[in-house]
Amino acid sequence: MTSVHPRIAVLVPCYNEEAAVATVVADFRNALPAAEIYVYDNNSRDRTASVARDAGAIVRSERRQGKGHVVRRMFADVEADIYVLVDGDATYDAPSAPLMIDKLVDEHLDMVVGLRIDQSQAAYRLGHRTGNRMLTGFLAWTFGRDFQDILSGYRVFSRRFVKSFPVLSDGFEIETEFAVYALELSLPVAELETPYYARPEGSFSKLNTWRDGFRIFGTMLKLYRAEKPLRFFGAIGILLAAASVLLSIPIVITFIETGLVPRFPTAILSTGLMIVAMLSVSSGLVLDTVTRGRREMKMLAYLSQPAPKRN
């Protein structure tokens, strides 16, 4: 009886990583000898593609700029049983990959996140660390579970996660989308501590702390609106209704005392706010039903794929 080992694909999205990509390919080739390593070049202006090809990777390209576009293309194109997603900047620890894969298979998980433990002060800038904590806390507050590092670029996925995951983001917000998708479907996930290193000389970060932080926060709000519409529009409705009641109190008191309504503009504004509040709550109820149907379709797509097996 022959044993069938799971097919492993290492996915490396790259943009101007000439200085680091060869190291990434070599390190993951040593850590996962049986894996196929795919480098997707995202309009690099340096020799990223040729360096990765010389290092032995399968090199492909994605013309639409942004990590989300690259991940969408990789998930659609590459066929495997287990997927390792890692940035091409040589900051993540390749020897941790077999441990993450073992955890995924042995514990029947769908995603294992590499929890970054920085090995030097330069590895993880203070602004990025603070922003990560704030965004992670917001995610826990809105979706009810506490990830410790939602922005890690080092993850291992099952096939059923990858092939059922609808990539909507364009850029670095994709990591947030991974977390929200797993939480909404209650998928089994875990984190595993991995060393996190400084970039090698000649490699530069493409992240902007404030710009990308606001984009990620905006993505969280959009996902919250899409996945929790009743809460989102219900909260708006409650605020509008409260404003309407506050504006109406003096008018009601004056009417009781004098029988007159002297401030028609305020009365009209109060009535309009209450109408909009009711419309907001009604929209939330309708969209909540739609979201439930979408979630069921996602779960069916997820269940249509086989779970990862060791042999």
Side-chain angles (χ1 to χ4, degrees), residues 242-271:
S244 174
V245 170
L246 288 174
L247 288 172
S248 69
I249 289 175
I251 299 173
V252 172
I253 292 175
T254 302
F255 178 76
I256 292 173
E257 293 176 346
T258 65
L260 301 174
V261 182
R263 288 178 286 183
F264 277 104
T266 304
I268 293 171
L269 176 61
S270 176
T271 303

Side-chain angles (χ1 to χ4, degrees), residues 200-228:
E201 186 176 351
S203 176
F204 303 96
S205 175
K206 288 78 181 176
L207 287 172
N208 180 286
T209 301
W210 291 104
R211 181 196 65 204
D212 292 307
F214 281 123
R215 286 183 64 182
I216 293 167
F217 182 72
T219 298
M220 283 187 179
L221 289 179
K222 287 188 286 188
L223 290 171
Y224 186 66
R225 181 191 63 194
E227 302 297 340
K228 305 284 187 181

Side-chain angles (χ1 to χ4, degrees), residues 3 8 23 30 52 72 82 105 113 123 133 140 144 165 174-175 177 182 191 199 219 221 232 252 272 283 309:
S3 61
I8 301 173
T23 300
N30 291 331
R72 184 183 298 113
I82 296 173
V105 176
V113 181
R133 288 175 179 171
F165 176 68
I174 187 67
E175 281 89 1
E177 200 175 340
E191 292 177 303
R199 283 174 169 267
T219 298
L221 289 179
F232 183 86
V252 172
S283 298
K309 296 180 181 179

Side-chain angles (χ1 to χ4, degrees), residues 4-66:
V4 179
H5 296 284
R7 297 169 297 168
I8 301 173
V10 179
L11 308 180
V12 189
C14 282
Y15 173 61
N16 292 340
E17 294 294 357
E18 175 186 350
V21 67
T23 300
V24 174
V25 174
D27 288 349
F28 277 89
R29 176 66 66 212
N30 291 331
L32 300 169
E36 290 187 321
I37 301 176
Y38 295 84
V39 171
Y40 273 67
D41 180 53
N42 192 208
N43 301 316
S44 295
R45 296 188 298 270
D46 59 11
R47 297 176 56 250
T48 295
S50 59
V51 170
R53 191 175 291 110
D54 292 342
I58 301 170
V59 179
R60 296 174 181 173
S61 62
E62 169 54 50
R63 296 303 178 191
R64 291 171 295 179
Q65 195 66 41

